[in-house]
Amino acid sequence: QSALTQPPSASGSPGQSVTISCTGTSSDIGVFNYVSWYQQHPGKAPQLIIYEVTKRPSGVPDRFSGSKSGNTASLTVSGLQAEDEADYFCSSYAGSNSFRVFGGGTKLTVL
Amino acid sequence: QVQLQESGPGLVKPSETLSLTCTVSGSSISSGYYWGWIRQPPGKGLEWIGSILHSGSTYYSPSLKSRVTISVDTSKNQFSLKLTSVTAADTAIYYCARDGYSSDHWGHGTLVTVSS
């Protein structure tokens, strides 16, 4: 069982927006602004797409955005494209004892 | 461009020790970042294993802490993972990554199977 809770699946049609949630606790997401999101295509290594809740690394399209409210973080993908079909994982810093925790992942399907 | 490459045996017997090395290029391992290991059982989610700073300071997942050792060799720009007393549950793709509050550069991953 993963430390952070994500829905196992999400879907949307091309051009639509979809939001994926990531629920933690007051020991991780609720207290630290160090939520990150990763995109993973089949057979590939994960790729960082959001860090520190809302920031995008260079080269990541601005269709990807992140937010946080209380113990829940969210990833929104706007203007869905076929290449956005992938697994998405959230992660949070959880303090010096646990350091980092991950969610179980959400499979995004572009219909 | 930062690149990481995992290396080590792809098959380990139960109860033995899993040993992997990550070679870093394009960045000095002494540059102040954390360097970490993350694994993914086939078809499942990601699990953070632990991280190390060039100084040798380490952080480990509480669930694996009793079996994990991460070390660094600054002269070779490498860091390593040792996981003792492995079982089939340790079968996974093992990734090394430039770590910290997030993991911004990843290796391609290496599949390690625990089987007799």
Side-chain angles (χ1 to χ4, degrees):
Chain A
Q1 187 172 353
S2 301
L4 306 178
T5 300
Q6 298 181 236
S9 63
S11 63
S13 299
Q16 288 186 332
S17 293
V18 64
T19 296
I20 298 170
S21 64
C22 172
T23 301
T25 69
S26 56
S27 297
D28 39 64
I29 292 177
V31 69
F32 299 109
N33 289 320
Y34 292 119
V35 177
S36 51
W37 289 89
Y38 303 85
Q39 178 190 63
Q40 186 180 35
H41 287 110
K44 300 293 187 181
Q47 177 190 352
L48 178 68
I49 56 173
I50 296 289
Y51 67 101
E52 292 178 14
V53 181
T54 62
K55 298 177 181 178
R56 282 186 309 277
S58 174
V60 174
D62 59 6
R63 302 184 296 102
F64 294 91
S65 62
S67 63
K68 188 187 88 166
S69 177
N71 296 340
T72 299
S74 299
L75 172 72
T76 297
V77 186
S78 305
L80 271 175
Q81 298 183 5
E83 59 261 35
D84 298 332
E85 186 161 294
D87 292 324
Y88 291 83
F89 295 91
C90 62
S91 179
S92 176
Y93 177 66
S96 59
N97 286 333
S98 299
F99 208 75
R100 292 275 304 282
V101 289
F102 277 95
T106 298
K107 182 175 181 59
L108 175 61
T109 301
V110 180
L111 302 170
Chain B
Q1 183 176 353
V2 181
Q3 294 185 315
L4 299 95
Q5 179 66 58
E6 305 88 352
S7 59
L11 181 64
V12 181
K13 290 182 169 57
S15 81
E16 296 191 345
T17 297
L18 179 159
S19 296
L20 295 174
T21 295
C22 182
T23 301
V24 180
S25 59
S27 175
S28 169
I29 208 164
S30 300
S31 58
Y33 289 97
Y34 280 89
W35 304 91
W37 291 95
I38 297 159
R39 70 180 183 179
Q40 184 174 34
K44 296 188 178 180
L46 299 170
E47 179 181 20
W48 183 81
I49 299 171
S51 293
I52 190 167
L53 195 55
H54 65 88
S55 63
S57 297
T58 52
Y59 292 91
Y60 298 132
S61 167
S63 64
L64 296 170
K65 187 173 185 176
S66 63
R67 299 194 291 131
V68 171
T69 301
I70 297 176
S71 58
V72 64
D73 187 338
T74 54
S75 67
K76 295 182 179 178
N77 224 37
Q78 295 176 335
F79 61 104
S80 298
L81 168 71
K82 290 191 186 298
L83 181 65
T84 62
S85 305
V86 297
T87 69
D90 295 310
T91 293
I93 297 172
Y94 285 77
Y95 296 99
C96 60
R98 193 170 76 172
D99 210 34
Y101 296 127
S102 60
S103 307
D104 61 351
H105 293 276
W106 296 63
H108 293 298
T110 186
L111 175 63
V112 179
T113 301
V114 178
S115 175
S116 55

